[in-house]
Amino acid sequence: DRSAATNTGKEGCAISLGIEGRARGEKGCWLTLAEWQYRDSNWYRIDVKTIKVDGKKIEANTFYSLRNGKFTKNNS
């Protein structure tokens, strides 16, 4: 629940599969995040995606969450 993952190593991975999870990493790292949906009084994982921090589309040292199937900057 609301976990966060960070990686600063070369070619590392930051993985957060919990509800409202977020991840960040240095350029060259990989981020893996899950998206969840609450229905029928339970949480269900509906998506898991991985993307590489390229410094352009996905910025280095910036937290991202998976929302509506897209990596979204997390400002908190």
Side-chain angles (χ1 to χ4, degrees):
D1 224 12
R2 297 183 180 96
S3 64
T6 302
N7 193 295
T8 58
K10 291 183 179 182
E11 296 294 321
C13 296
I15 300 168
S16 182
L17 300 175
I19 299 166
E20 295 185 19
R22 57 195 187 125
R24 73 176 180 189
E26 298 280 340
K27 187 175 178 182
C29 289
W30 291 86
L31 308 180
T32 299
L33 292 164
E35 183 174 0
W36 292 75
Q37 183 179 75
Y38 188 78
R39 65 178 187 272
D40 302 325
S41 300
N42 289 303
W43 283 98
Y44 298 93
R45 187 178 293 121
I46 59 170
D47 201 357
V48 175
K49 290 190 176 182
T50 300
I51 197 165
K52 189 171 187 174
V53 178
D54 62 2
K56 295 176 185 171
K57 181 179 178 181
I58 301 296
E59 298 174 17
N61 299 311
T62 302
F63 275 110
Y64 285 87
S65 296
L66 190 61
R67 294 193 179 108
N68 298 316
K70 297 181 181 182
F71 285 83
T72 304
K73 281 187 192 182
N74 189 299
N75 296 322
S76 56

